[in-house]
Amino acid sequence: AKGSRELFNFSTRAAEHMAEKGRAVPIQILEQTIKGSKGVIDPRGSRALMHTTKMWKNGKAYNLEVLYDEATNSIWHFKYSPVKP
């Protein structure tokens, strides 16, 4: 997690998720998601943008959401859920 803290700032909740082995997302995937998608306005109304992509973990496809605030270089939230067939 030390390397990830150097690249992005994390909200307390996002940092807790990164510390959980089963929930963590590799920092490279978070970075690719942010850089590789335009992002849409946060549905909750913050200044951050919601970036989405498909990722693979343990041989399964997931939809990944990353809420990123460029002004503070902060990841406020991320989650992934299985891709529905």
Side-chain angles (χ1 to χ4, degrees):
K2 184 180 181 201
S4 62
R5 291 188 182 275
E6 294 169 6
L7 188 57
F8 296 110
N9 299 309
F10 286 86
S11 70
T12 302
R13 185 67 138 182
E16 289 171 359
H17 293 329
M18 285 298 282
E20 293 179 43
K21 187 177 180 179
R23 278 186 97 163
V25 173
I27 195 69
Q28 299 89 344
I29 301 295
L30 295 173
E31 182 179 26
Q32 288 171 359
T33 302
I34 293 164
K35 289 183 176 180
S37 67
K38 185 175 179 182
V40 295
I41 295 172
D42 178 8
R44 293 185 179 180
S46 77
R47 67 179 180 222
L49 295 178
M50 184 69 74
H51 298 268
T52 58
T53 193
K54 185 185 288 186
M55 73 168 206
W56 293 85
K57 186 171 182 173
N58 300 324
K60 296 181 182 179
Y62 293 90
N63 291 315
L64 172 64
E65 297 178 352
V66 182
L67 186 60
Y68 174 70
D69 179 13
E70 185 176 15
T72 62
N73 191 38
S74 298
I75 293 176
W76 291 355
H77 161 83
F78 68 88
K79 77 173 187 177
Y80 55 93
S81 55
V83 172
K84 306 247 190 243

